[in-house]
């Protein structure tokens, strides 16, 4: 993406769930609940009259139905209205909403993303479908986390990161999640507790891997002129945005580095005019679905060249120089599939609304086996 033609804003957000299971509702009911809350937060707008286009972020494999976008419009108020689907992380859906507004297609866009992962009985088998059938899937690995294990070892060797550092990330984020209403997996756990766990795959134990969670999030974005009419100054500006895939398959990937995050963040920083991200942001909300990924992503984002040193010195803690996942990240909340990017953005919005900062960096990864990342810069007007 180049530069924004218009200043794009976030005027409403709603969420539902963030629990390990939600047997009492369907995914459509979860999205309806989230959409209702988002439209109220956006100034009690009526989606049938006030929203110009609708975007759904979902993947047919997760839903268990083909052309799953056909099931998206009703619960968002978008039946018989312009609707599109993004088969990717929700921050990529946000990028499409920005393009809708900048191209003149819409002034107000509603985006939804959700996870009903508790309905999926064969999750590991679905992930294997995304792997190369000749060189990767054919080795029949016992679990898909082996890719993260290889990536983690390469990263740890290159940066001198220890197993204890990964345990400190788990301790930091699970404790930070105790202040979040969405953190089903928050815990007053210690690094020693993490180190006592057996490996799922070296160097990762069960506690180094964030669990999945059900949830739905809807975000309403608008041109700033519309935002001023609806919310006065109670909105956030999307100042920069980028997304990238650095390799389309595992065989050609450079393991041990988050190159996708470097490419995406450079794009976002260029749009926002940011030269020194560490000094610019008040907090960072970054994908930590594996403990080592938080540190690897911070390097990719140019927030920390020595992430383990910053971690040990407390610079990444909620009270530190540059708080990272101060509301717990995925380690405390769980991973809501394609809504993962929005869950981090939701934390950033809450953080700013709580008066703890004015500028936040949000960075999402689409997970194994992809090498795709998305970055967004949000701040107060």
């Amino acid at each position: 993406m180049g530069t924004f033609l218009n200043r794009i804003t976030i005027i409403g957000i709603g969420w539902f769930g963030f629990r390990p299971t939600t047997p009492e509702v369907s995914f459509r009911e979860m999205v309806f609940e989230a959409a209702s809350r988002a439209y109220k937060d956006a100034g009690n707008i009526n989606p049938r009259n006030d929203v110009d286009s609708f975007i759904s972020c979902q993947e047919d494999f997760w839903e268990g139905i083909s052309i799953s976008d056909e099931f998206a419009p009703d619960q968002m108020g978008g039946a018989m209205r312009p609707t599109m689907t993004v088969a990717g992380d929700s921050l990529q859906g946000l990028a499409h909403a920005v393009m809708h507004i900048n191209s003149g297609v819409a002034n107000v866009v509603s985006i939804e993303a959700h996870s009903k992962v508790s309905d999926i009985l064969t999750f590991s088998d679905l992930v294997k479908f995304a792997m190369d059938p000749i060189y990767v899937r054919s080795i029949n690995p016992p679990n898909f986390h082996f890719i993260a294990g290889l990536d983690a070892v390469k990263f740890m060797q290159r940066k001198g990161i220890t197993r204890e550092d990964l345990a400190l990330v788990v301790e930091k984020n699970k404790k930070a999640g105790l202040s979040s209403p969405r953190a089903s997996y928050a815990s007053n756990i210690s690094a020693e507790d993490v180190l006592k766990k057996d490996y799922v795959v070296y160097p990762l134990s069960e506690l180094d891997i964030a669990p999945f969670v059900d949830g739905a999030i809807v975000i309403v974005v608008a041109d700033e002129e519309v935002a001023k009419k609806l919310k006065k100054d109670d909105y956030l500006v999307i100042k920069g945005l980028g997304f990238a895939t650095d390799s389309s398959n595992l065989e050609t990937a450079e393991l041990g580095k988050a190159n996708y995050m470097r490419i995406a963040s450079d794009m976002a920083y260029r749009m926002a005019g940011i030269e020194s991200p560490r000094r610019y942001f008040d907090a960072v909300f970054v994908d930590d679905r594996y403990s080592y990924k938080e540190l690897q992503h911070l390097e990719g984002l140019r927030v920390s060249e020595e992430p383990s040193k910053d971690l040990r010195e407390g610079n990444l803690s909620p009270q530190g120089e540059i708080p990272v996942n101060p509301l717990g990240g995925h380690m405390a909340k769980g991973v809501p599939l394609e809504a993962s990017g929005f869950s981090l953005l939701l934390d950033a919005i809450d953080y700013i609304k709580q008066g703890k900062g004015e500028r936040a960096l949000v960075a999402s990864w689409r997970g194994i086996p992809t090498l795709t990342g998305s970055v967004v810069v949000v701040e107060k007007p």
Side-chain angles (χ1 to χ4, degrees):
M1 298 182 71
T3 56
F4 290 138
L5 298 175
N6 304 312
R7 275 167 63 96
I8 313 298
T9 66
I10 297 172
I11 63 171
I13 187 163
W15 61 274
F16 180 87
F18 284 93
R19 300 198 301 271
T21 61
T22 50
E24 75 280 11
V25 290
S26 68
F27 83 86
R28 301 179 78 175
E29 291 169 320
M30 287 200 310
V31 173
F32 175 78
E33 291 285 347
S36 299
R37 296 170 190 184
Y39 298 144
K40 184 177 187 304
D41 187 45
N44 282 318
I45 62 173
N46 180 347
R48 304 299 295 162
N49 300 320
D50 301 323
V51 178
D52 301 310
S53 65
F54 300 81
I55 296 175
S56 175
C57 305
Q58 53 183 312
E59 169 63 64
D60 285 3
F61 270 179
W62 302 147
E63 307 301 331
I65 49 179
S66 62
I67 321 179
S68 54
D69 58 319
E70 291 184 351
F71 296 80
D74 290 1
Q75 54 272 21
M76 301 171 66
M80 305 297 289
R81 303 290 303 283
T83 307
M84 68 172 292
T85 303
V86 174
D89 182 78
S90 41
L91 291 190
Q92 292 174 263
L94 182 67
H96 283 75
V98 167
M99 288 186 274
H100 278 204
I101 295 173
N102 267 334
S103 65
V105 169
N107 289 319
V108 180
V109 184
S110 174
I111 315 120
E112 79 87 15
H114 64 268
S115 163
K116 200 68 164 67
V117 68
S118 64
D119 282 352
I120 303 175
L121 301 179
T122 56
F123 187 87
S124 183
D125 291 334
L126 286 177
V127 174
K128 287 180 182 177
F129 267 119
M131 299 177 185
D132 183 286
I134 298 175
Y135 298 109
V136 183
R137 199 190 310 163
S138 60
I139 66 175
N140 195 27
N143 65 67
F144 60 83
H145 299 300
F146 82 97
I147 298 175
L150 294 172
D151 190 36
V153 169
K154 291 267 289 185
F155 173 63
M156 292 166 71
Q157 288 178 341
R158 184 172 61 81
K159 297 298 291 185
I161 289 171
T162 66
R163 181 74 188 87
E164 287 72 21
D165 292 328
L166 304 191
L168 286 173
V169 172
V170 178
E171 177 186 310
K172 174 179 74 69
N173 290 359
K174 285 192 177 286
K175 284 184 176 178
L178 292 171
S179 62
S180 170
R182 292 179 292 277
S184 294
Y185 301 100
S187 172
N188 192 24
I189 201 169
S190 70
E192 289 73 24
D193 294 327
V194 180
L195 293 170
K196 290 176 183 175
K197 285 286 187 179
D198 294 333
Y199 294 124
V200 173
V201 60
Y202 182 82
L204 306 170
S205 72
E206 178 186 2
L207 290 174
D208 289 282
I209 303 170
F212 290 100
V213 70
D214 287 356
I217 305 172
V218 172
I219 289 182
V220 183
V221 298
D223 178 273
E224 189 170 27
E225 293 305 312
V226 176
K228 289 178 179 177
K229 293 177 183 175
L230 291 172
K231 302 290 296 279
K232 295 183 179 179
D233 61 350
D234 184 21
Y235 58 85
L236 296 182
V237 176
I238 302 171
K239 196 167 183 182
L241 198 153
F243 58 93
T245 297
D246 76 270
S247 176
S248 59
N249 56 60
L250 184 62
E251 302 90 289
T252 58
E254 184 181 14
L255 293 180
K257 290 184 177 179
N259 291 326
Y260 52 87
M261 208 60 93
R262 177 61 59 92
I263 299 168
S265 61
D266 283 348
M267 189 184 304
Y269 297 157
R270 188 164 57 249
M271 294 173 70
I274 297 169
E275 295 183 354
S276 177
R278 182 169 180 128
R279 289 201 296 267
Y280 188 83
F281 294 107
D282 297 315
V284 177
F285 301 82
V286 63
D287 193 295
D288 62 331
R289 66 184 68 196
Y290 295 103
S291 53
Y292 79 96
K293 273 294 182 184
E294 175 169 300
L295 304 178
Q296 188 187 66
H297 286 154
L298 290 177
E299 182 198 29
L301 293 165
R302 289 195 284 125
V303 170
S304 174
E305 289 302 319
E306 298 297 335
S308 63
K309 181 173 181 289
D310 277 328
L311 177 71
R312 292 172 200 158
E313 294 179 352
N315 296 331
L316 311 182
S317 71
Q319 296 77 35
E321 175 197 342
I322 178 73
V324 176
N325 288 324
L327 295 181
H330 295 323
M331 280 290 165
K333 294 185 306 175
V335 179
L337 296 180
E338 309 297 17
S340 297
F342 269 5
S343 77
L344 297 169
L345 179 56
L346 178 55
D347 281 353
I349 292 170
D350 279 355
Y351 191 83
I352 293 173
K353 284 188 174 181
Q354 290 168 6
K356 296 178 179 177
E358 296 189 350
R359 297 179 288 199
L361 174 65
V362 181
S364 182
W365 170 49
R366 208 183 171 205
I368 295 290
T370 79
L371 297 148
T372 300
S374 304
V375 174
V376 62
V377 176
V378 291
E379 61 184 51
K380 296 182 74 171

